[in-house]
Amino acid sequence: MVANNFEIQIKNFNDYDCVNYRLVLFQGTIRLNSSDCNEINGNVLCCSNGTIVKWPVSNGLFKCLAQLIPGLNEVKLTYEGVVKTLLVNFEVHETDQFVVPVYFIPKDHDGRFQSPQGVDNNEESAIARIGFGMLMIQSLFAEIIGERNFPRKSFQLEKDLFPKAPPCRLFKSSLSVDEVVKMSDEELWEEVGRELMLSNLGSEKKKFVCFISCTLWNGHTVLANPALGGGGLALLGSGSLHTWPTSLTETVSSLTNDKKLEPYLLDNSCFRGTYCGAFATSLGSTAHEMGHIFNLGHTRSGLMSRGFDNAHLLFIQASSGQYNSIS
């Protein structure tokens, strides 16, 4: 009888590769007895800096995320007792230009974003969700660049350059909820941009990704739900923020949760009607609007078209048996 000898191969990284962002996406295969096998499924465990996350394997293919700390990182992947170790360097670029995530709260709003019952929706939860979402978008940009055979690189976040900075800034506005919901997206973009630039956060060296706390689906229409990017500001609503993970350990669940959205929640899922669909579209649309602040125009396909609705395909292996991408 021939023993089953599994082998883990990483397709998109080599030992001692260096990146300037902290959430790295690995794409790999599980081989059996030195051959590709379309019937290999299950899960691969990814361990990075003490965090272990289980990622699905489909038809011998897998994707997984590892969170790095500055310097040389050891990442361990395990499948059926077989271990693959990879060494990756995380080194922040020297720059004075960076992206600042912001949670924008009108003066008379409590800062709680709309969410299902039992889901933490306070300011601290918003900061965690936005902060981790920005790490995913850093990785998204790097992978799209890498797919075009350029060295992987991404924008720097404020916290990359200033470790004591919060993952997302809270901004208390002078605008009221009533004023915010009555503005058009363009008017709101101008007012938010003006307030940010006139505050102590303002700088021509910064670009802002800003989420409005008071986005509301009232059962008939959605209020304060912009998706507009340009210049130094990408402005988004928070109606789907409850679907975003707060940390790496929640990411697989956010990417795969096919539960139907309740009618009292905003369904911004590109007609899928699911939590994971809303996460994919909202994360992808944030990346799309950030593309505009990086001077990217619309394209026929990919991230700068409607490919952003499928942002989840970049991060997790689908059951089709093919590598998936939004580019």
Side-chain angles (χ1 to χ4, degrees):
M1 180 179 293
V2 178
N4 288 335
N5 296 313
F6 292 106
E7 178 187 5
I8 302 171
Q9 291 188 343
I10 303 299
K11 297 296 188 180
N12 62 333
F13 271 89
N14 297 308
D15 272 333
Y16 300 103
D17 278 353
C18 187
V19 297
N20 73 308
Y21 54 98
R22 70 182 66 242
L23 196 64
V24 173
L25 175 71
F26 295 113
Q27 300 183 18
T29 61
I30 308 294
R31 291 165 59 85
L32 176 61
N33 299 327
S34 300
S35 300
D36 293 332
C37 181
N38 292 333
E39 297 180 359
I40 295 177
N41 297 293
N43 295 284
V44 64
L45 297 180
C46 181
C47 177
S48 57
N49 296 301
T51 299
I52 302 175
V53 180
K54 185 185 297 184
W55 294 83
V57 177
S58 179
N59 300 314
L61 304 177
F62 70 89
K63 297 180 181 182
C64 62
L65 289 167
Q67 193 160 349
L68 310 181
I69 59 175
L72 186 63
N73 292 256
E74 181 181 80
V75 180
K76 288 186 177 181
L77 305 176
T78 305
Y79 181 83
E80 295 293 333
V82 175
V83 178
K84 168 72 173 179
T85 300
L86 198 69
L87 300 174
V88 182
N89 261 310
F90 168 40
E91 185 175 314
V92 175
H93 287 168
E94 292 186 9
T95 179
D96 59 355
Q97 299 178 330
F98 52 91
V99 171
V100 182
V102 176
Y103 190 51
F104 185 93
I105 305 174
K107 62 183 180 181
D108 54 349
H109 192 253
D110 62 5
R112 292 185 176 273
F113 55 89
Q114 193 170 22
S115 70
Q117 296 177 358
V119 172
D120 193 357
N121 64 349
N122 60 18
E123 295 173 359
E124 291 75 17
S125 178
I127 289 172
R129 294 172 194 274
I130 294 169
F132 190 79
M134 289 300 103
L135 298 184
M136 294 187 72
I137 292 173
Q138 268 188 316
S139 184
L140 179 150
F141 273 100
E143 282 304 309
I144 290 176
I145 291 171
E147 287 174 356
R148 285 158 174 75
N149 297 316
F150 292 103
R152 285 181 184 81
K153 60 179 64 177
S154 194
F155 57 89
Q156 299 296 173
L157 292 164
E158 180 183 32
K159 192 168 179 61
D160 294 334
L161 301 173
F162 306 99
K164 292 184 179 180
C168 173
R169 294 280 184 178
L170 282 180
F171 188 88
K172 302 287 187 177
S173 173
S174 64
L175 297 172
S176 67
V177 171
D178 188 57
E179 289 173 317
V180 168
V181 300
K182 288 180 178 178
M183 290 181 185
S184 68
D185 289 356
E186 292 77 12
E187 290 170 336
L188 186 56
W189 183 89
E190 290 183 3
E191 287 297 324
V192 171
R194 183 178 296 111
E195 282 202 357
L196 288 171
M197 290 303 291
L198 291 176
S199 74
N200 58 4
L201 292 178
S203 170
E204 295 292 338
K205 301 288 188 180
K206 302 175 183 177
K207 290 186 181 290
F208 298 95
V209 184
C210 187
F211 295 80
I212 304 296
S213 69
C214 62
T215 302
L216 177 66
W217 168 251
N218 62 16
H220 303 285
T221 188
V222 61
L223 305 174
N225 187 44
L228 191 61
L233 173 64
L235 186 63
L236 292 305
S238 60
S240 297
L241 193 57
H242 65 90
T243 66
W244 289 32
T246 63
S247 67
L248 182 58
T249 57
E250 297 178 2
T251 305
V252 174
S253 176
S254 292
L255 290 165
T256 59
N257 183 4
D258 59 0
K259 177 184 175 183
K260 292 295 183 180
L261 290 159
E262 290 83 355
Y264 63 85
L265 295 172
L266 175 65
D267 182 358
N268 182 24
S269 65
C270 193
F271 307 105
R272 289 169 287 196
T274 61
Y275 276 72
C276 59
F279 173 48
T281 290
S282 57
L283 187 80
S285 64
T286 301
H288 176 100
E289 299 307 331
M290 289 181 68
H292 288 313
I293 68 174
F294 298 143
N295 297 322
L296 299 179
H298 287 140
T299 54
R300 291 185 177 181
S301 61
L303 176 66
M304 299 312 294
S305 181
R306 290 299 305 197
F308 67 75
D309 286 307
N310 295 316
H312 61 297
L313 295 180
L314 188 82
F315 295 105
I316 198 160
Q317 184 58 44
S319 59
S320 63
Q322 299 292 323
Y323 284 125
N324 297 279
S325 176
I326 62 174
S327 62

